Amino acid sequence: MFQSLLVANRGEIAVRVIRTARRMGIRTVAVYSDADVGALHVEVADEALRIGPGPVAESYLNQAALLSAIADSGAQAVHPGYGFLSENPGFATAVGEAGTTFVGPSPEAIRAMGSKIDAKRLVASAGTPVVPGYDGADQSPKGLAEHASRIGYPLLIKASMGGGGRGMRIVSERGDFDAALAAAKREAAASFGDDTVLLERYLTAPKHIEIQILADNAGRTLSLFERDCSVQRRHQKVIEEAPAPGMDPPTRRAMGEAAVSAARAVGYVGAGTVEFVTESGEFYFLEMNTRLQVEHPVTEAVTGLDVVEWQLRIAAGESLSFDQDDLGLDGHAVEARIYAENARRDFLPSTGMLHWVSFPGDVRVDSGVRSGSAVSAHYDPMMAKVVAHGVDRQQAVARLRGALREIEIAGAAHNVAWLANVLDHPAFVAGSYTTGTVEESADMLVPKPDPHAVAIAAVATVLKRRRRDPWSLGDAFQANLPHEQTLRVGRGPERFDVRIVADEVGFRVYGPDGEVRLEAPALAEDGFFRATANGQLVGARTVLLDGHAFVMRNGGTERIDFVTSDAGAFAEVVEAGGRVLAPMPGQVVSVAVSEGDRVRPGDVLMVVEAMKMEHEVRAPGPGTVTAVRFAPGERVEEGVELVGLDDDKGPSAS
């Protein structure tokens, strides 16, 4: 076995790999960019080496910097995690040429399966069914448009390299094809360095099923059964479970055999995943991921295997110690991905300091963050994965639902409450969901505002001020007398006045959610707030900072801003001035308008790339462009003016 391992990745996957390696007695080496100086994966490793500035091209995608770190550390093996260079055959080759073991398949296998086009051709020649489409050499817009017309609409444009939903576009009709193709190619080039795409018939109600495989150097290739990854938003998996609901043994066996055949066709060694789409009882090969998958923990939970441990053992030359007949399914497991994104703002990525992070202790949590971590605009917004295991699906889902309600995150916006809503969706409860369920139910899944959050934040702030300096507040509160105070409060884009009236038993708060009466309120030193709210006992973790508060209850987090009268007036002037603001920090990809142009509501003004995804900034209403502040390639910070308009509405992005 290796004595030392360098993990060429970051975040939760780096932490997860390091923990298994250390359990096996292997010295671990982390790498980090300037944006990750204080990251969790840096702390848990035995050694950490800097590889460059924050942007991925200058750090985690910088092969020269990584190879230098490998040499400096003396690591005997390199684990690539997933994403970044994990499926780059050139990097795998360079690692091997440096005399270090790459923990993964051969460069030839990566190359064969790394291209969706080549992989489809390979498995089709072996008799595996594939989705009808086009994967030829003609990449001209005219040629691709002609092939699209032959395939028919709706269809899917898909980047040949990479994954994670990047470089994918669903096109419903011919008129949308050219713009979708340009965006898919641009995103593919930025994410994977290759803008080659393929076209596929778009299945309207499919399931996304994948098979985990393990293969050793002795020629033994095994299926670790399937995962259902059909809960997807914009082609990005968000909830996965194993085994797949409703999967019958004959289909499980047939898909497992097809996955094993695909792996054997390229002499695959290590852990990998073969993905399929299923519809109406038929299954079609989708792609093969020649790396560890984000959702591998659900397979580990139901098989009892540590997939990372077996990756390391196989890379070290060991053979699998079990056969296909030795494997079985133990209960059910469900995983939810925790992202730094704002579900109420069309899932825009969120960045910033995490002032408080708390995860439940009775389920598996693979996390790359903690209190004090920073969420950077340079990287994917996934912060953690929460995995629940039970004797059956009902118990596993119930445990995950309970775990999500216990999560507390203050700082960047997150999707925990949204995930809980997905678990309660009738189609998910029944196990009948498809890849389209989330998008079709988008409006009903968006979390509603917590009706007590504003009142809790306001009263917690008052209690904290009184405890800190009860005699010199000058806030109009007087002992033993009815008294009141008015605060200017912001919740998202809204601004409103909140009136707080105190009496001998507590407070009455009048705000956007009506009257909320908080009796016997108490604020603990750790920020936990307790009270009786309109006769109901409520508790919430509160993080109170200068100018705003975070209220965490039942997995959700509400950010409440306290603004002075002047600040509130200024915010209204900004909105009235017709300024379209950057919804997040990022880089301008393209500009669609010029000064003097007339625009209609919904017209695309700019495209901003952040966290590896493109976001269209659209006109909030009709008007004339009065200014264009940035050009393609320039970086922008959240809240800066992108475009001036003569209307009086705020920004919109999708």
Side-chain angles (χ1 to χ4, degrees):
M1 181 50 63
F2 310 113
Q3 298 301 308
S4 57
L5 175 74
L6 182 142
V7 183
N9 216 296
R10 65 174 301 279
E12 57 85 22
I13 184 54
V15 174
R16 185 265 174 275
V17 171
I18 288 169
R19 285 178 173 159
T20 283
R22 296 190 73 180
R23 177 176 57 77
M24 297 173 67
I26 301 171
R27 182 176 68 89
T28 58
V29 182
V31 293
Y32 64 92
S33 72
D34 290 343
D36 277 338
V37 170
L40 183 59
H41 76 279
V42 174
E43 179 181 301
V44 298
D46 296 305
E47 181 183 353
L49 298 173
R50 178 185 178 275
I51 52 172
V56 292
E58 302 175 51
S59 52
Y60 297 102
L61 291 180
N62 185 337
Q63 294 193 37
L66 286 165
L67 291 170
S68 178
I70 294 167
D72 292 344
S73 69
Q76 296 176 316
V78 174
H79 195 300
Y82 42 67
F84 294 142
L85 296 172
S86 61
E87 294 179 286
N88 187 301
F91 181 62
T93 298
V95 169
E97 291 176 347
T100 307
T101 300
F102 181 80
V103 181
S106 67
E108 293 74 24
I110 297 174
R111 190 172 289 109
M113 285 299 189
S115 165
K116 294 181 177 67
I117 291 174
D118 292 341
K120 284 186 66 175
R121 291 172 181 167
L122 180 66
V123 300
S125 66
T128 301
V130 298
V131 179
Y134 173 74
D135 58 9
D138 184 359
Q139 290 289 305
S140 68
K142 180 180 178 182
L144 288 170
E146 291 173 351
H147 287 292
S149 296
R150 175 182 56 80
I151 297 166
Y153 294 90
L155 61 79
L156 183 66
I157 302 172
K158 183 188 300 182
S160 177
M161 305 299 291
R166 297 176 181 87
M168 281 190 184
R169 293 294 187 278
I170 299 171
V171 187
S172 300
E173 55 188 33
R174 173 65 185 91
D176 298 332
F177 181 82
D178 294 342
L181 175 64
K185 278 183 164 289
R186 189 167 57 236
E187 198 168 270
S191 297
F192 315 119
D194 187 336
D195 72 350
T196 303
V197 299
L198 58 105
L199 309 178
E200 289 180 349
R201 178 185 299 165
Y202 182 67
L203 304 179
T204 56
K207 281 273 196 180
H208 185 128
I209 307 294
E210 62 187 33
I211 306 293
Q212 175 75 61
I213 61 106
L214 273 181
D216 63 19
N217 290 283
R220 180 177 294 169
T221 305
L222 306 180
S223 163
L224 305 189
F225 310 115
E226 83 283 352
R227 302 184 283 253
D228 192 328
C229 306
S230 304
V231 179
Q232 299 180 10
R233 190 188 61 75
R234 296 175 184 166
H235 312 296
Q236 175 66 65
K237 306 166 191 174
V238 286
I239 294 177
E240 303 97 349
E241 56 181 318
M247 176 67 70
D248 59 84
T251 303
R252 173 176 293 126
R253 184 166 50 253
M255 294 183 73
E257 291 172 352
V260 168
S261 296
R264 285 176 173 161
V266 293
Y268 196 87
V269 173
T273 303
V274 183
E275 302 191 0
F276 298 91
V277 288
T278 68
E279 190 172 55
S280 303
E282 302 291 332
F283 65 86
Y284 305 94
F285 174 83
L286 186 63
E287 63 182 331
M288 182 173 185
N289 289 289
T290 56
R291 54 170 169 81
L292 195 66
Q293 289 280 90
V294 177
E295 54 274 19
H296 74 275
V298 293
T299 295
E300 294 181 324
V302 297
T303 63
L305 298 173
D306 185 326
V307 175
V308 171
E309 178 179 345
W310 277 106
Q311 281 188 295
L312 295 171
R313 292 190 180 281
I314 291 169
E318 295 185 25
S319 298
L320 293 169
S321 60
F322 47 88
D323 234 325
Q324 190 68 59
D325 292 341
D326 298 320
L327 297 173
L329 291 167
D330 175 21
H332 201 95
V334 192
E335 172 183 295
R337 303 187 188 189
I338 312 301
Y339 284 100
E341 59 187 11
N342 192 330
R344 294 180 188 151
R345 296 187 64 195
D346 200 22
F347 296 92
L348 287 176
S350 182
T351 60
M353 180 67 67
L354 298 179
H355 305 287
W356 177 274
V357 177
S358 177
F359 292 112
D362 56 349
V363 294
R364 173 173 173 174
V365 178
D366 288 3
S367 174
V369 298
R370 59 187 170 181
S371 298
S373 293
V375 179
S376 169
H378 294 299
Y379 312 121
D380 186 278
M382 188 171 68
M383 296 185 288
K385 304 174 303 192
V386 180
V387 188
H389 182 233
V391 296
D392 54 25
R393 184 173 189 265
Q394 183 178 6
Q395 186 183 70
V397 172
R399 286 179 173 173
L400 180 59
R401 185 182 292 110
L404 293 177
R405 290 173 63 88
E406 293 181 31
I407 293 175
E408 298 173 347
I409 301 175
H414 59 81
N415 67 333
V416 174
W418 181 87
L419 290 167
N421 288 346
V422 173
L423 296 183
D424 289 334
H425 190 286
F428 185 85
V429 173
S432 60
Y433 57 90
T434 69
T435 57
T437 297
V438 165
E439 302 292 353
E440 293 162 3
S441 308
D443 291 342
M444 67 177 289
L445 295 175
V446 175
K448 293 179 172 56
D450 184 335
H452 296 133
V454 171
I456 290 172
V459 172
T461 298
V462 169
L463 293 177
K464 182 179 180 181
R465 288 176 178 173
R466 285 183 165 184
R467 184 167 59 200
R468 182 180 63 217
D469 187 5
W471 309 112
S472 59
L473 287 175
D475 61 0
F477 283 84
Q478 303 175 50
N480 303 318
L481 291 174
H483 40 269
E484 66 178 70
Q485 180 179 6
T486 299
L487 299 177
R488 184 70 171 165
V489 172
R491 182 174 62 186
E494 303 174 282
R495 294 291 183 271
F496 38 77
D497 289 329
V498 172
R499 187 163 60 97
I500 309 167
V501 179
D503 55 31
E504 64 279 0
V505 296
F507 299 86
R508 294 191 305 276
V509 182
Y510 302 90
D513 304 305
E515 179 183 352
V516 178
R517 181 168 182 78
L518 296 175
E519 297 183 358
L523 181 66
E525 289 293 336
D526 63 358
F528 198 80
F529 179 92
R530 294 179 178 83
T532 299
N534 295 342
Q536 173 189 358
L537 289 173
V538 298
R541 182 80 57 195
T542 60
V543 173
L544 305 175
L545 304 170
D546 290 339
H548 54 271
F550 295 95
V551 178
M552 293 163 277
R553 285 206 318 140
N554 299 325
T557 302
E558 298 286 349
R559 173 173 171 151
I560 308 300
D561 297 309
F562 299 103
V563 297
T564 65
S565 298
D566 289 341
F570 176 74
E572 292 167 359
V573 169
V574 169
E575 293 170 3
R579 306 197 317 162
V580 177
L581 311 180
M584 83 293 285
Q587 184 172 24
V588 176
V589 174
S590 63
V591 178
V593 295
S594 301
E595 187 174 338
D597 286 353
R598 290 285 299 170
V599 295
R600 298 169 299 176
D603 283 354
V604 176
L605 305 176
M606 279 188 183
V607 177
V608 177
E609 187 273 334
M611 291 183 169
K612 304 182 184 178
M613 298 290 283
E614 291 189 0
H615 306 273
E616 295 176 338
V617 179
R618 299 175 178 269
T624 300
V625 176
T626 60
V628 177
R629 303 298 186 190
F630 293 91
E634 293 186 311
R635 293 216 38 100
V636 299
E637 297 300 323
E638 181 176 1
V640 302
E641 181 181 21
L642 298 177
V643 177
L645 290 177
D646 66 356
D647 60 47
D648 59 356
K649 297 180 180 179
S652 174
S654 64

